[in-house]
Amino acid sequence: MSSFTSQVRGLIHTIADQFELGPSLARLAIIEFSSSARIATPLTTSRSTVNNVISYYRPSGGTAISKGLDKAKAILLDRSGVRQGVNRVVLLLTDGVQNSYYGGDRAAIAAGVNLRQSTLATVIAVGFGGAARQTLDAIASPPAQMHSYKGTSLADLSARLANMCALVASPRTPPPSQPPPVPPPSPSPVAPPPARCNGVSRILDPNLANGM
């Protein structure tokens, strides 16, 4: 296994592990794309399924971002598998631009816009290597400065995405807070606790791509 493949798998593990899976929590789907796209796993609450899919991932072929985004749209519009009334998040990860014989950047951007409009999902677009920043910005949900990022390396992306909770309000329950200190006889008003990263479920679709 190449170092690159190992690093990509590590990055996706870093992202997926931040979500607590369960029927009333998050469900994850993974779509792999190169010159074609396939649903590696539909929406699932199985941690072992997610881990197995990531462990078997190997980059290959060209880059057809639009095909990956179209698969994500199909998952989110499938009423038999998607819960209503929950927020939906699609994470696009690519290290290249869409090849011209798949329609180039224009087709990739159009697929991203169509995905956002038809599913009302928040689309986060991140890339490295040959990925084009302006294309990521156009695919991502506005504001681009929050939902789009062109990293300098996989390590850079790992650092950027290490706290997905802050980006998409991950439902993973944080560690229990420490009990507050005993107030003095004449206490001042107690500040409210910080916001917690639990609540409604999220859907995360890490789309894995290989180069040009």
Side-chain angles (χ1 to χ4, degrees), residues 74-142:
I75 289 176
L76 295 179
L77 292 180
D78 181 1
R79 294 194 176 187
S80 65
V82 173
R83 293 167 296 179
Q84 301 302 309
V86 299
N87 290 349
R88 305 166 181 182
V89 177
V90 176
L91 171 63
L92 167 70
L93 171 63
T94 182
D95 67 346
V97 294
Q98 177 144 315
N99 301 131
S100 59
Y101 42 87
Y102 301 129
D105 285 344
R106 180 174 297 181
I109 293 169
V113 172
N114 184 263
L115 169 64
R116 297 191 334 244
Q117 292 178 344
S118 61
T119 68
L120 302 182
T122 298
V123 177
I124 301 169
V126 297
F128 64 103
R133 177 59 187 267
Q134 63 270 26
T135 303
L136 297 174
D137 287 352
I139 290 174
S141 298

Side-chain angles (χ1 to χ4, degrees), residues 143-178:
Q145 61 266 32
M146 177 181 295
H147 297 129
S148 173
Y149 184 68
K150 169 68 183 297
T152 57
S153 64
L154 283 169
D156 181 28
L157 290 184
S158 292
R160 172 75 175 190
L161 300 174
N163 188 5
M164 285 290 289
C165 181
L167 193 58
V168 298
S170 164
R172 174 173 289 280
T173 303
S177 58
Q178 296 297 317

